[in-house]
Amino acid sequence: MKILYIHQYFVTPEEPGGTRSYWISKELIKHGHDVTVITTSKDLSKPKEIIIDGIRVIYLKIPYNNKMSILKRIIAFTKFMLLSSWQVIKLKKHDLVIATSTPLTVGFPALVGKKIKRMPYIFEVRDLWPEVPVQMGGVKNKYAIKFLYWFERTIYKNAKHIVALSPGMFDGVSATGIPIEKISTIPNMSKIDKFWPREKNLSLLNELNLRSDTFKVVYFGTMGLANAMEYIIDAAKYLKEEKDIEFIFLGGGAMEPIIKKKCKEENLDFINFYGKVPMKRLSNIVNLSDVSLVTFTDLPILATNSPNKLFDTLSAGKPIIVNSPGWTKTMVEDYKCGAFVNPKKPKELAEKIIEFKNNPSLCAEMGKNSRILAENKFDKSILCNQFANLVDNLLK
């Protein structure tokens, strides 16, 4: 069967970013399907169309990054919505379309495909839009909000099936009136062959100018308004007198220059920034760490998130500190692979880091539990097969 996959931010393991769509596409090919991906590229030197590991990828030249203003983001979203819709019309008819958010506008080309070419589609909910930007204050006009909620319901209603990435997202979709039998939960994935516990690379420590005798706290991924970056820095202030703790920040986003400036002003010289790195290097650096942070701004909607960094940390065999009072809190506590801290109290985060630093046996035990959970429940081999089986059944 021919499958058209629409994802504005499709990346491969050789590029920084989330690779869920890549792994699902590979599994669909393994199940005998032909997969074409429509995505974007800000790299003008990249070919417009290319075969990557058996996946046909069509790149639309639309610049986008997390540091853009809201207006520029809206322009990028709209441009991709229109250009990808034209690709849907222009391409030969496919048996199924998979549209994966965010943003919600990714659902529009899938809707176009259904209405014009009678192609059914799966809509994958990676964030509950428009609820996320509404709660964060990104959309304030009451008419725009009303329209976006109507658009969300329209996308859900017309989908053949909906895949939610967390229990909270499942509940959010169901709350719009969609029957629960039309919704599946397939969370983000651990990559146990890409992140795994092993001996620390001492030469990499020297290269990164990190000490070998410190307790290392890692944060990796997007540094945006939703990620509570200032909360982490406020917690770090309480650790200034601790001479054996270092922070490692990997990734980028709108908050990166702000927190870098704050670190400089507060003389937090034990916080290190290394920018965006490809997956292989990221895995090696995460392996140097002792505990990983998965933090979000204290908004109810953000407690539904299914962040890549959480599942990569599980694979890496590291304990996790979360600050969202949602399903991630339940998970780390039930499986004893981390701890929850109050999102309103950065001092609590600082105290938890000290507690972990002073309890190496506890860290080791939680790290083992993390790896076991990744292997037995969240590995991509399990969840990609689950997704592909869902597609197979829908196509029957």
Side-chain angles (χ1 to χ4, degrees), residues 166-387:
S166 76
M169 292 182 202
F170 181 103
D171 293 340
V173 174
S174 176
T176 67
I178 301 299
I180 59 172
E181 59 269 17
K182 190 179 171 178
I183 318 166
S184 298
T185 303
I186 304 178
N188 261 325
M189 304 165 183
S190 295
K191 300 178 278 290
I192 62 173
D193 57 338
K194 303 297 179 183
F195 291 82
W196 73 97
R198 65 257 197 207
E199 288 295 318
K200 295 182 179 181
N201 185 335
L202 297 182
S203 63
L204 182 58
L205 279 175
N206 294 330
E207 180 189 332
L208 298 173
N209 199 28
L210 294 169
R211 289 161 50 195
S212 61
D213 61 344
T214 58
F215 184 84
K216 295 175 181 61
V217 183
V218 68
Y219 175 94
F220 60 101
T222 302
M223 301 181 195
L225 292 171
N227 302 106
M229 304 311 300
E230 291 186 290
Y231 169 82
I232 299 175
I233 301 306
D234 288 341
K237 291 181 198 175
Y238 291 103
L239 301 170
K240 289 177 78 169
E241 300 306 314
E242 302 287 330
K243 303 303 181 186
D244 55 353
I245 294 176
E246 288 181 302
F247 281 73
I248 300 169
F249 280 84
L250 297 147
M255 292 300 296
E256 184 185 14
I258 296 171
I259 60 170
K260 276 185 174 179
K261 182 181 177 184
K262 196 168 183 180
C263 288
K264 191 172 183 180
E265 291 171 350
E266 298 286 345
N267 295 316
L268 303 176
D269 55 1
F270 55 94
I271 297 181
N272 305 276
F273 295 85
Y274 300 104
K276 293 182 179 180
V277 297
M279 185 182 296
K280 185 175 181 180
R281 183 169 177 81
L282 175 63
S283 174
N284 280 318
I285 298 176
V286 170
N287 187 60
L288 298 175
S289 69
D290 297 288
V291 66
S292 176
L293 305 182
V294 178
T295 56
F296 288 99
T297 301
D298 187 26
L299 290 172
I301 192 62
L302 296 179
T304 67
N305 271 339
S306 180
N308 283 303
K309 64 178 79 70
L310 175 76
F311 300 95
D312 290 338
T313 298
L314 292 176
S315 291
K318 305 295 178 183
I320 309 164
I321 300 177
V322 303
N323 75 335
S324 288
W327 77 282
T328 56
K329 174 182 184 291
T330 304
M331 188 197 78
V332 298
E333 291 178 345
D334 285 355
Y335 290 95
K336 296 180 173 55
C337 58
F340 167 79
V341 291
N342 192 318
K344 299 182 188 297
K345 298 179 179 178
K347 187 177 181 182
E348 195 171 304
L349 171 57
E351 289 170 347
K352 186 60 65 176
I353 290 170
I354 293 173
E355 180 187 334
F356 277 16
K357 177 187 70 117
N358 293 336
N359 251 301
S361 60
L362 176 65
C363 270
E365 186 63 30
M366 286 186 168
K368 288 178 184 176
N369 293 339
S370 289
R371 180 66 184 184
I372 291 169
L373 187 57
E375 291 176 345
N376 296 332
K377 187 169 182 178
F378 292 122
D379 184 52
K380 64 180 178 4
S381 63
I382 299 169
L383 298 181
C384 285
N385 187 55
Q386 185 181 337
F387 196 108

Side-chain angles (χ1 to χ4, degrees), residues 86-110:
W86 173 241
Q87 288 291 328
V88 169
I89 294 169
K90 190 172 68 169
L91 291 169
K92 289 182 180 179
K93 184 177 179 179
H94 286 69
D95 298 291
L96 181 71
V97 176
I98 302 170
T100 182
S101 69
T102 58
L104 185 62
T105 44
V106 170
F108 184 78

Side-chain angles (χ1 to χ4, degrees), residues 3-11 21-22 25 35-40 48-50 55-59 91 94:
I3 296 172
L4 185 61
Y5 208 139
I6 306 171
H7 183 195
Q8 190 162 344
Y9 315 121
F10 176 85
V11 297
S21 296
Y22 169 85
S25 296
V35 180
T36 297
V37 172
I38 300 176
T39 187
T40 61
K48 185 177 179 182
E49 186 175 321
I50 190 173
I55 308 164
R56 179 190 179 196
V57 184
I58 298 172
Y59 287 103
L91 291 169
H94 286 69

Side-chain angles (χ1 to χ4, degrees), residues 6 81 85 97-101 103-115 119-127 129-130 147-163 173 176 178 182-183:
I6 306 171
M81 179 183 75
S85 295
V97 176
I98 302 170
T100 182
S101 69
L104 185 62
T105 44
V106 170
F108 184 78
L111 196 59
V112 167
K114 179 180 180 180
K115 298 298 183 183
M119 296 189 295
Y121 68 88
I122 293 174
F123 189 70
E124 189 176 47
V125 180
R126 296 194 182 210
D127 278 312
W129 277 47
F147 169 77
L148 287 172
Y149 281 119
W150 168 83
F151 185 57
E152 176 194 32
R153 291 192 300 272
T154 301
I155 295 298
Y156 294 165
K157 182 181 176 182
N158 282 275
K160 189 173 182 69
H161 200 82
I162 297 164
V163 174
V173 174
T176 67
I178 301 299
K182 190 179 171 178
I183 318 166

